[in-house]
Amino acid sequence: MLKLEPRPESSKFWSLASPVLALGITVILGTLLFAALGKDPVQGLRVFFWEPLSNGYRIGELLVKATPLLLIALGLAVCFRSNVWNIGAEGQFVIGAVVAGGVALMAGKNTSGFIVVAILLAGVIGGMAWAALTGLLRDRFNANEILVSLMLVYVATLVLNYLVFGPWKDPGGYNFPQTKTFEAATQIPRLVKGSRVNIGTLIALAGVAALWVFLFRTRAGFAQQVGGLAPAAARYAGFSSRKALWVALLVSGGAAGLAGALEVAGPIGQLTPYVPAGYGFAAIIVAFVGRLHPVGMVFSAILMSMFYIGGELAQSRLGLPKSLTGVFQGLLLFTLLACDTLMAYRLRWRPAPASSGPAAPTAMVRGTA
């Protein structure tokens, strides 16, 4: 019999091995899924895990999708390490894109390329402002930040739809719900000619380094984590749990808003109803698969972007629904949660106790007269 036995302390080995095991189980479950759908499992896995890396252009597309995931996950890591559960990064991403798009629409034919700086700053401010709504309700009224931030996602989507269906709708766009295409001056500078990879990738990598220094090499980073995890201990040490709340939400919102600005002024080039791509929710998985560590989240962001591209290829080549991307993301999250049990518990094999048979009858000796 297998039994879970509590460990005396959390296992450092399984804290690193659990995501690897979860990925392996996800691959196995994916193989069974492809077989159940009547597709060649080898071809299906090849589409998800090999095709996105098969040439330089596809690697570039991988980085394009990994960039917003990584940026949002970096901000969410600050929240989760501070015990602030911001589930509404998708809404902050959308509002950042809306505010950045509003600045981009102001550009004309002769606008300087320096407007890109204003666009990115507008995205950061928009995301921070949207996250501040959650912070205000949590700070002043003790509202649950999970519910508030999640509900604000739908409000942000409604704001976007109102603008692209109404005031910002392109009059020359054949009645499609979208803004006009942004001017060339607003385009985020690209790193490689012939590829959509832009400076957002460098910004995300700089964010990785900045977060590592902040969390592990500064007193403020230490105070941030203590203020969220143990408010009483933080107050005793002179740290403010209220400050930890605001820093976590503003950093997270700013990172999500920056990702939204990079998305609309980069690959998309305009505002459409399809700006909400689910990056804000997928980044939660990226953060936890990467163990809330800046370096770990780089690899998990690449893995998650492989799921996005693999889902698109599976749709075009295998005739499978694009929602298969979400299936793989969900499988990875649930298997990770299951494998994380091994951090606090160990499996022990205990043989079942042998069942004793019926007692042998006692022979009765009868004397003869």
Side-chain angles (χ1 to χ4, degrees):
M1 296 174 61
L2 287 175
K3 184 177 181 180
L4 287 174
E5 180 180 280
R7 297 179 184 273
E9 61 181 12
S10 182
S11 171
K12 293 182 179 179
F13 170 78
W14 280 111
S15 67
L16 299 176
S18 176
V20 179
L21 178 60
L23 177 60
I25 297 174
T26 300
V27 171
I28 294 172
L29 294 176
T31 301
L32 298 176
L33 179 62
F34 285 125
L37 293 173
K39 305 296 180 181
D40 181 5
V42 176
Q43 179 64 14
L45 293 178
R46 186 174 185 272
V47 164
F48 267 86
F49 295 102
W50 169 249
E51 290 293 335
L53 302 171
S54 58
N55 58 50
Y57 178 79
R58 288 175 181 166
I59 292 176
E61 290 300 297
L62 197 69
L63 295 177
V64 168
K65 291 192 178 295
T67 295
L69 289 171
L70 179 56
L71 276 172
I72 300 171
L74 291 173
L76 289 178
V78 177
C79 275
F80 297 153
R81 280 181 174 271
S82 306
N83 201 27
V84 177
W85 296 94
N86 177 17
I87 309 298
E90 180 77 359
Q92 294 143 29
F93 172 87
V94 171
I95 291 299
V98 167
V99 178
V103 175
L105 288 172
M106 299 178 185
K109 297 292 184 182
N110 300 321
T111 301
S112 168
F114 286 106
I115 194 175
V116 169
V117 178
I119 291 172
L120 297 183
L121 287 176
V124 171
I125 294 171
M128 292 175 70
W130 207 246
L133 294 177
T134 301
L136 179 64
L137 293 175
R138 163 70 187 276
D139 185 25
R140 296 295 299 274
F141 304 103
N142 200 29
N144 187 296
E145 74 271 18
I146 297 176
L147 296 177
V148 173
S149 60
L150 184 59
M151 292 300 101
L152 284 174
V153 173
Y154 301 100
V155 178
T157 303
L158 291 173
V159 171
L160 171 66
N161 288 338
Y162 166 74
L163 292 173
V164 297
F165 278 91
W168 290 359
K169 187 176 182 180
D170 182 10
Y174 302 99
N175 208 34
F176 283 101
Q178 61 190 26
T179 66
K180 69 174 185 178
T181 303
F182 300 153
E183 298 291 341
T186 66
Q187 181 72 39
I188 304 297
R190 298 186 179 183
L191 296 178
V192 181
K193 187 177 182 180
S195 173
R196 297 198 301 167
V197 182
N198 55 48
I199 61 172
T201 302
L202 298 181
I203 295 174
L205 292 177
V208 169
L211 182 60
W212 185 86
V213 172
F214 173 72
L215 289 178
F216 306 120
R217 290 294 182 271
T218 66
R219 182 180 183 275
F222 176 74
Q224 181 67 29
Q225 298 176 75
V226 174
L229 293 174
R235 285 193 297 270
Y236 180 79
F239 302 149
S240 172
S241 57
R242 184 182 182 189
K243 180 180 178 182
L245 167 70
W246 279 102
V247 169
L249 284 172
L250 292 179
V251 169
S252 179
L258 176 60
L262 288 168
E263 191 72 6
V264 296
I268 299 179
Q270 61 182 164
L271 286 173
T272 74
Y274 306 106
V275 168
Y279 289 148
F281 296 118
I284 298 174
I285 306 176
V286 171
F288 281 105
V289 172
R291 284 291 176 256
L292 303 182
H293 192 284
V295 177
M297 287 185 287
V298 174
F299 297 101
S300 58
I302 293 174
L303 174 64
M304 197 61 59
S305 62
M306 290 175 69
F307 288 168
Y308 273 103
I309 295 177
E312 295 171 357
L313 293 175
Q315 183 183 26
S316 61
R317 296 189 181 184
L318 303 179
L320 294 174
K322 191 178 178 182
S323 57
L324 198 62
T325 297
V327 173
F328 268 90
Q329 291 176 355
L331 285 175
L332 181 61
L333 177 60
F334 282 113
T335 54
L336 177 67
L337 294 174
C339 293
D340 278 353
T341 305
L342 296 175
M343 294 169 54
Y345 295 86
R346 59 165 61 94
L347 285 173
R348 289 292 192 189
W349 173 262
R350 292 188 176 181
S355 59
S356 57
T362 304
M364 303 208 41
V365 179
R366 293 183 181 179
T368 55

